[in-house]
């Protein structure tokens, strides 16, 4: 894992020393992504700068250093990530005898460069299995190419300001260039308030974008036309469409065997490393499956890592320990106090560079920090929910919509507002009364959470808006903003071939997965210079999952049915079959307790009015409702607080 940065163009008055200094500042900002080495390549005449910070994982020698120049001298590359099948690509290049490559080292970057020379960039990307972001300069055609892996595991930002075209792994590198202008995109704030993240291609800054997954950008500098063209070399839309029209036709036994085989190969390739390697283990289905397949292919005990919390409802460490003992891994766990977790919060704006408000960013950083004390690479179980139907909304939405669609919308809307107006203590008393009359136990549910979810369901006009409402933290984020509104296109368009459940899974894989889950994983891990790998997102696994009929993913009201069958070959279901917990922290209670003063300082009315972005009245009303216990608004407030905290950090930097 590494960090890349660079730019094209400069003002005519920029001296060579200033040109070097600009690139140096950008590279320094990414030192955490690559603490082992740094390299720069500059073409003074063409005003091209490529920078690289290296975390050495394959070929630890200088032969793996970057930026790397191809054998012919035509291409220069700065590469971040891993090409897992690079050894087989080398054999293909050697067997074909097209270029007769004589290898300088054994890095995957050198393999990719040789493939680009023989096949061209697009075909080389299609042949590659991996996670990556790269910048490639073609000296012959005077063209710059930026590329990103199929599912968006590795980040890549780009944009133009004052005649300079920037690119980098993280925004902080672009910010480090003295030419950068940090004008905030107020529309992006609306997106972050709704979703908890800013989806691709948007960023918090005007003129700076995220390159979409599965794409490469072409910018030719020869001639007068210097437009940027974005080309897709792989599309999850196409993968899912192919799966719909050419579904898997085998039976259960064949599906179990096929999934185990494709997953086993993905895990095997991602275990390739010249440095210590381990895995995150929560004890759930996804991480347990990855660890089980790792341990089955390793002669030594795999190093596994988990963290626990004092709050029982958020603690998965006990389950992880049981799975680790059964599999025989070398397990390490850390029980984190609330103070340790709270100490991470001031660092979050530095890790993420733009407002990002998934509270599981806190435990993700802590488990990454724990893992980095013993390994340099860690495999993760992320992606299983999106591919195999793990989220509750996948098997609840259709049922909920079928139940409520016959009720006139105006009546449903009134009922939703009524639910939100009732104090949760009153609802709990009512529930206990019904439970007594029916001689049943009172369900241990947070009624304010349930009432909020039910109100979102009731306010939905159709099944697509039901999904949108369920993933929204604020149903009307513009109400909180002085200016700014959501782009109409932030939600993926539905495909006629998809029913609502298929659409939700596709939409999550296109937006929530790369822009929330993988962003969280990448930034939290790279903050401590830890490389993470995600075997479920091997595109061969993704394409296989897309072809599976829905009853192999969701069966008898339970998600990830097929994945569970594979896991049961290695781990008894008694160790993993339990309600989904997620990887979170008790933000709601922390905001009423140890985080109250911190939050109050960020939500101060005078402060908000002075900043000029938010409406103080609605924000303060949400805060007071939460403090009073009238409603649980922990997540919506966390979105606002992460923006405010980020804004504070920007003013100090």
């Amino acid at each position: 894992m590494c960090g890349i940065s660079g730019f094209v163009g400069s003002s005519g008055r920029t001296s060579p020393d200033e040109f070097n200094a600009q690139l140096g500042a950008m590279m320094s900002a990414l030192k955490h992504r690559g603490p082992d080495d740094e390299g720069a390549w500059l073409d003074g005449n063409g005003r091209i700068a490529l920078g690289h910070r290296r975390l050495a994982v394959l070929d630890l020698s200088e032969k793996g250093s970057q930026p790397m120049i191809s054998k012919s001298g035509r291409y220069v590359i700065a590469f971040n990530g891993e090409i897992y099948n690079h050894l087989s690509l080398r054999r293909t290049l050697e067997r074909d005898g097209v270029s007769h490559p004589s290898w300088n080292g054994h890095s995957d970057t050198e393999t990719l460069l040789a493939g680009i020379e023989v096949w061209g960039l697009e075909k080389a990307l299609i042949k590659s299995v991996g996670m990556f972001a790269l910048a490639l300069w073609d000296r012959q055609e005077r063209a710059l190419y930026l590329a990103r892996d199929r599912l968006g595991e590795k980040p890549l930002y780009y944009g133009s300001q004052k005649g300079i075209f920037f690119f980098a792994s993280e925004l902080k590198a672009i910010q480090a260039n003295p030419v950068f202008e940090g004008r905030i995109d107020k529309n992006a704030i609306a997106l972050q308030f709704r979703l908890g993240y800013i989806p691709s291609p948007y960023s918090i800054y005007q003129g700076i974008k995220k390159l979409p997954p599965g794409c490469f950008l072409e910018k030719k500098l020869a001639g007068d036309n210097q437009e940027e063209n974005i080309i897709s070399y792989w599309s999850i839309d196409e993968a899912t469409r192919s799966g719909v029209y050419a579904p898997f036709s085998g039976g259960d036994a064949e599906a179990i065997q096929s999934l185990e085989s494709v997953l086993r190969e993905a895990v095997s390739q991602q275990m390739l490393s010249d440095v210590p390697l381990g895995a995150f283990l929560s004890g759930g289905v996804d991480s347990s499956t990855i660890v089980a397949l790792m341990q089955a292919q390793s002669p030594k005990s795999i190093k596994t890592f988990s963290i626990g919390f004092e709050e029982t409802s958020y603690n998965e460490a006990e389950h992880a320990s049981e799975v680790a003992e059964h599999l025989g891994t070398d397990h390490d766990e850390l029980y984190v106090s609330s103070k340790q977790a709270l100490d991470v919060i001031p660092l979050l704006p530095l890790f993420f560079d733009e407002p990002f408000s998934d509270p599981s960013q806190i435990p993700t950083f802590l488990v990454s920090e724990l893992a980095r004390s013993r390994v340099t690479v860690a495999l993760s179980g992320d992606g299983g929910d999106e591919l195999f139907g793990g989220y509750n909304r996948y098997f609840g939405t259709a049922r909920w919509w079928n139940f409520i669609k016959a009720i006139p919308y105006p009546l449903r809307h009134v009922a939703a507002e009524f639910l939100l107006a009732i104090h949760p203590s009153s609802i709990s008393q009512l529930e206990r009364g019904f439970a007594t009359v029916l001689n049943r136990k009172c369900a241990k549910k947070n009624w304010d959470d349930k009432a909020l979810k039910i109100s979102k369901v009731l306010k939905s006009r159709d099944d697509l808006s039901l999904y949108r409402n369920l993933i929204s933290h604020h149903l009307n984020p513009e109400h909180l903003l002085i200016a700014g509104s959501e782009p109409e296109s932030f939600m993926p368009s539905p495909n006629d071939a998809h029913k609502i459940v298929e659409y939700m899974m596709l939409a999550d894989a296109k937006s929530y997965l790369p822009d929330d889950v993988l962003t969280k994983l990448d930034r939290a891990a790279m903050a401590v210079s830890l490389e993470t790998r995600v075997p479920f997102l091997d595109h061969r696994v993704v394409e296989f999952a897309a072809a599976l009929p829905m009853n192999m993913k969701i069966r008898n009201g339970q998600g990830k049915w097929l994945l569970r069958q594979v896991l049961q070959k290695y781990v008894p279901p008694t160790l993993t079959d339990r309600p989904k917990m997620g990887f979170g922290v008790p933000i709601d209670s922390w905001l009423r307790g140890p985080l109250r003063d911190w939050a109050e300082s960020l939500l101060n009315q005078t402060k908000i009015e002075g900043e000029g972005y938010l409406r103080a009245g609605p924000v303060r009303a949400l805060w007071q409702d939460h403090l009073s216990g009238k409603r649980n608004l922990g997540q919506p407030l966390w979105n606002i607080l992460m923006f405010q905290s980020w804004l504070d950090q920007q003013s100090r930097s």
Side-chain angles (χ1 to χ4, degrees):
M1 197 68 59
C2 305
I4 64 173
S5 60
F7 55 92
V8 175
S10 66
S11 68
R13 295 185 298 276
T14 304
S15 69
D17 287 343
E18 290 173 323
F19 192 63
N20 287 327
Q22 289 179 12
L23 181 60
M26 295 178 74
M27 289 194 298
S28 294
L30 297 176
K31 186 175 181 179
H32 57 288
R33 295 189 75 93
D36 298 329
D37 191 17
E38 71 172 5
W41 185 87
L42 301 103
D43 176 355
N45 294 327
R47 305 311 250 174
I48 310 299
L50 298 180
H52 188 266
R53 292 289 324 194
R54 186 183 184 200
L55 176 65
V57 172
L58 291 177
D59 195 345
L60 310 186
S61 72
E62 292 183 359
K63 295 177 180 179
S65 296
Q66 297 185 49
M68 188 178 290
I69 302 174
S70 66
K71 290 288 185 182
S72 70
R74 174 177 176 178
Y75 297 104
V76 186
I77 193 170
F79 179 82
N80 164 34
E82 304 290 345
I83 304 296
Y84 301 125
N85 66 331
H86 90 96
L87 294 179
S88 65
L89 291 180
R90 283 197 172 201
R91 289 191 292 270
T92 299
L93 288 165
E94 293 164 353
R95 184 182 65 245
D96 291 350
V98 178
S99 61
H100 300 287
S102 56
W103 305 109
N104 183 48
H106 66 271
S107 74
D108 54 343
T109 306
E110 186 182 7
T111 306
L112 180 61
L113 260 181
I116 292 170
E117 289 213 293
V118 174
W119 302 312
L121 175 62
E122 185 169 6
K123 288 186 178 179
L125 294 176
I126 291 171
K127 290 175 179 289
S128 297
V129 177
M131 57 167 188
F132 51 82
L134 64 86
L136 179 77
W137 173 240
D138 183 341
R139 302 166 81 177
Q140 178 177 305
E141 296 294 328
R142 293 191 52 73
L144 176 71
Y145 297 91
L146 305 178
R148 196 173 178 205
D149 64 68
R150 292 170 175 87
L151 277 302
E153 292 184 58
K154 294 298 102 190
L156 191 53
Y157 293 86
Y158 72 96
S160 298
Q161 291 183 354
K162 295 183 178 179
I164 307 274
F165 180 82
F166 306 97
F167 58 88
S169 297
E170 296 183 17
L171 278 172
K172 58 173 60 70
I174 295 177
Q175 290 175 283
N177 192 301
V179 176
F180 174 72
E181 296 177 337
R183 297 187 300 272
I184 293 176
D185 184 347
K186 296 178 181 179
N187 296 337
I189 305 173
L191 290 172
Q192 188 252 330
F193 280 9
R194 179 179 290 277
L195 300 172
Y197 59 89
I198 299 173
S200 300
Y202 309 101
S203 86
I204 190 61
Y205 293 118
Q206 296 178 28
I208 305 297
K209 298 178 180 180
K210 302 180 180 84
L211 184 65
C215 294
F216 66 90
L217 178 149
E218 176 188 60
K219 185 177 179 66
K220 292 189 175 181
L221 302 187
D224 296 330
N225 186 3
Q226 297 188 13
E227 292 184 359
E228 301 153 16
N229 299 312
I230 294 180
I231 301 158
S232 172
Y233 67 90
W234 186 89
S235 165
I236 194 168
D237 285 291
E238 290 301 319
T240 54
R241 188 176 292 111
S242 297
V244 169
Y245 291 114
F248 179 83
S249 58
D252 288 352
E254 185 180 350
I256 294 169
Q257 182 180 358
S258 297
L259 176 57
E260 182 181 15
S261 176
V262 70
L263 269 178
R264 192 180 183 94
E265 182 178 2
V267 168
S268 175
Q269 286 189 340
Q270 297 197 21
M271 290 173 68
L272 180 65
S273 174
D274 292 336
V275 294
L277 174 142
F280 298 148
L281 179 61
S282 70
V285 171
D286 301 337
S287 66
S288 297
T289 302
I290 298 303
V291 170
L293 292 173
M294 290 176 71
Q295 192 58 71
Q297 300 177 83
S298 173
K300 299 179 181 179
S301 294
I302 294 294
K303 296 179 178 65
T304 54
F305 305 92
S306 66
I307 60 170
F309 285 96
E310 298 165 346
E311 293 85 354
T312 304
S313 59
Y314 291 87
N315 182 33
E316 291 188 302
E318 293 179 357
H319 306 300
S321 180
E322 291 174 350
V323 173
E325 183 177 3
H326 178 81
L327 292 173
T329 71
D330 177 6
H331 190 59
D332 198 356
E333 65 182 18
L334 173 68
Y335 271 79
V336 179
S337 68
S338 58
K339 182 183 183 306
Q340 286 174 288
L342 297 173
D343 286 344
V344 176
I345 292 174
L347 304 175
L348 296 176
L350 299 173
F351 298 161
F352 289 90
D353 290 344
E354 61 182 349
F356 181 83
S357 41
D358 182 337
S360 61
Q361 61 202 136
I362 299 170
T364 302
F365 169 77
L366 291 168
V367 75
S368 297
E369 190 175 45
L370 172 64
R372 188 62 176 94
S373 65
R374 297 187 62 194
V375 301
T376 307
V377 178
L379 272 63
S380 165
D382 289 299
D385 287 308
E386 290 82 2
L387 299 184
F388 297 99
Y391 294 130
N392 290 335
R393 57 179 173 265
Y394 296 155
F395 36 93
T397 299
R399 183 174 68 250
W400 296 333
W401 177 246
N402 288 334
F403 178 74
I404 69 165
K405 65 182 180 181
I407 305 172
Y409 176 75
L411 184 60
R412 285 191 274 120
H413 193 275
V414 170
E417 292 298 324
F418 175 74
L419 268 178
L420 293 177
I422 301 177
H423 196 282
S425 61
S426 301
I427 300 179
S428 298
Q429 290 175 4
L430 184 64
E431 184 189 28
R432 285 194 293 272
F434 278 119
T436 301
V437 171
L438 298 173
N439 194 27
R440 294 179 179 175
K441 290 184 178 181
C442 183
K444 294 183 179 180
K445 296 280 187 180
N446 292 326
W447 250 108
D448 45 356
D449 288 341
K450 184 182 283 188
L452 181 61
K453 182 173 289 187
I454 293 173
S455 71
K456 289 180 177 180
V457 172
L458 292 173
K459 286 183 177 181
S460 305
R461 294 185 178 273
D462 53 37
D463 51 4
L464 290 179
S465 67
L466 173 53
Y467 166 70
R468 174 174 169 150
N469 287 348
L470 288 175
I471 64 172
S472 298
H473 303 159
H474 293 276
L475 293 183
N476 184 17
E478 288 91 345
H479 177 63
L480 301 170
L481 302 173
I482 292 175
S485 60
E486 299 168 303
E488 294 182 2
S489 60
F490 82 90
M491 288 283 290
S493 300
N495 185 305
D496 292 339
H498 297 129
K499 298 180 181 178
I500 182 58
V501 178
E502 286 89 343
Y503 168 74
M504 288 190 292
M505 294 175 68
L506 174 61
D508 282 346
K510 290 180 67 174
S511 182
Y512 177 69
L513 179 62
D515 296 321
D516 185 307
V517 175
L518 298 177
T519 295
K520 170 186 63 183
L521 181 66
D522 176 81
R523 305 306 191 281
M526 290 312 300
V528 293
S529 305
L530 176 74
E531 173 172 309
T532 50
R533 301 175 178 179
V534 188
F536 281 123
L537 300 187
D538 182 306
H539 72 277
R540 297 164 299 184
V541 177
V542 175
E543 290 168 355
F544 176 79
L548 290 171
M550 192 55 63
N551 73 341
M552 286 187 175
K553 300 175 183 178
I554 300 172
R555 187 176 294 189
N556 299 324
Q558 186 179 52
K560 296 188 280 197
W561 178 85
L562 187 62
L563 192 59
R564 292 174 190 272
Q565 309 314 303
V566 172
L567 177 59
Q568 286 176 21
K569 291 187 173 185
Y570 303 90
V571 178
T574 53
L575 296 184
T576 57
D577 278 357
R578 59 182 182 278
K580 187 175 181 62
M581 293 178 65
F583 195 35
V585 289
I587 288 296
D588 52 345
S589 60
W590 283 358
L591 289 177
R592 296 187 183 110
L595 285 179
R596 181 168 179 166
D597 290 343
W598 169 79
E600 183 63 57
S601 68
L602 291 173
L603 301 179
N604 176 275
Q605 181 166 341
T606 302
K607 177 182 177 63
I608 290 175
E609 291 173 346
E611 291 164 342
Y613 292 100
L614 308 184
R615 299 182 186 275
V619 171
R620 294 292 302 177
L622 290 175
W623 179 229
Q624 293 304 320
D625 279 356
H626 184 75
L627 290 179
S628 70
K630 179 181 178 182
R631 295 167 64 189
N632 177 8
L633 297 168
Q635 180 61 70
L637 283 167
W638 191 247
N639 290 17
I640 298 171
L641 287 164
M642 284 294 96
F643 171 73
Q644 288 291 96
S645 181
W646 174 83
L647 197 61
D648 245 20
Q649 190 271 331
Q650 295 299 300
S651 67
R652 293 193 300 270
S653 61

